Amino acid sequence: MTTLLELRERVISIYSQYENYINMGAKFLIVLSGLVCINGQIGYQETLAGTLPTFLLALICTLLSPNLIVAVFGVVILAHLYSLALEAAVVGAILLLVALLVYYRFAPRDSMLLLLFPICRTIGIPYALPIAGGLLYSPASGAAVAVGVIADSFIRFIHQNETVISSASGSDTNEIVSRLQFLLDGIVQN
């Protein structure tokens, strides 16, 4: 038992000595993993989906606050959606704007839950975040988890129906309205 306590004290002393470096490294890995997950699902913008741009964007985001990282993730998602179809970008912008306004109103300090959601969804443990949010954060952290779920379900819907969304590329008003209706139905019916 004393061995475990000594090991704990050593880990705490090492962490306190190198706290800034460890936190920056962890933030870099979280952002890089999140960007790789997003690019893997909807990597339509080739300039953002490459290895070097993803790495550089993760490096830049390491210097930002977690709330700004969430905004950068939103911009990356919208850039990918715009490369697929303008209608997908418009619906995605409206959805992300509403979701982020709810998020910034209720749980602006719980951005790590929002950043970890794409990673946990890819690993296959999306239900770990609501549990962690309930145990480690306030009850308002449910807003951050809800925003993550909404954004992830929209991304998965786009990924599953990318051929339908991108194939109709006409500029006829009826086609535009039908694509918008298809995207909105996909969100509402989920």
Side-chain angles (χ1 to χ4, degrees):
M1 186 67 160
T2 58
T3 308
L4 288 176
L5 290 174
E6 291 172 4
L7 179 65
R8 178 180 173 257
E9 290 302 319
R10 271 192 246 144
V11 168
I12 289 173
S13 68
I14 290 171
Y15 179 76
S16 64
Q17 187 176 7
Y18 300 107
E19 179 178 5
N20 291 334
Y21 301 116
I22 293 171
N23 288 343
M24 293 293 259
K27 188 190 283 188
F28 174 75
L29 290 176
I30 289 171
V31 171
L32 182 66
S33 301
L35 287 173
V36 166
C37 291
I38 290 171
N39 289 339
Q41 286 284 318
I42 57 169
Y44 306 118
Q45 179 71 27
E46 294 174 7
T47 56
L48 287 176
T51 304
L52 184 62
T54 302
F55 184 78
L56 289 176
L57 191 59
L59 197 59
I60 291 169
C61 286
T62 302
L63 303 173
L64 300 176
S65 70
N67 287 333
L68 286 177
I69 295 172
V70 169
V72 168
F73 273 33
V75 169
V76 168
I77 290 170
L78 289 178
H80 286 305
L81 292 177
Y82 181 75
S83 293
L84 178 66
L86 177 64
E87 293 84 5
V90 168
V91 172
I94 293 169
L95 178 69
L96 288 176
L97 180 67
V98 170
L100 289 177
L101 287 176
V102 168
Y103 160 72
Y104 282 121
R105 170 65 179 104
F106 290 108
R109 289 172 279 154
D110 302 336
S111 56
M112 286 314 264
L113 291 174
L114 190 57
L115 294 175
L116 287 172
F117 196 83
I119 300 166
C120 289
R121 170 57 91 183
T122 303
I123 294 172
I125 54 168
Y127 303 116
L129 282 180
I131 294 169
L135 292 175
L136 301 175
Y137 296 100
S138 67
S141 66
V145 173
V147 168
V149 168
I150 290 168
D152 182 66
S153 65
F154 181 68
I155 288 171
R156 284 188 299 127
F157 174 76
I158 293 293
H159 178 69
Q160 291 169 352
N161 299 302
E162 69 181 281
T163 56
V164 174
I165 296 167
S166 66
S167 66
S169 60
S171 61
D172 184 25
T173 306
N174 292 334
E175 290 179 11
I176 293 172
V177 170
S178 67
R179 279 182 290 199
L180 286 172
Q181 185 68 33
F182 177 72
L183 289 167
L184 291 174
D185 286 344
I187 294 169
V188 172
Q189 291 174 359
N190 189 350

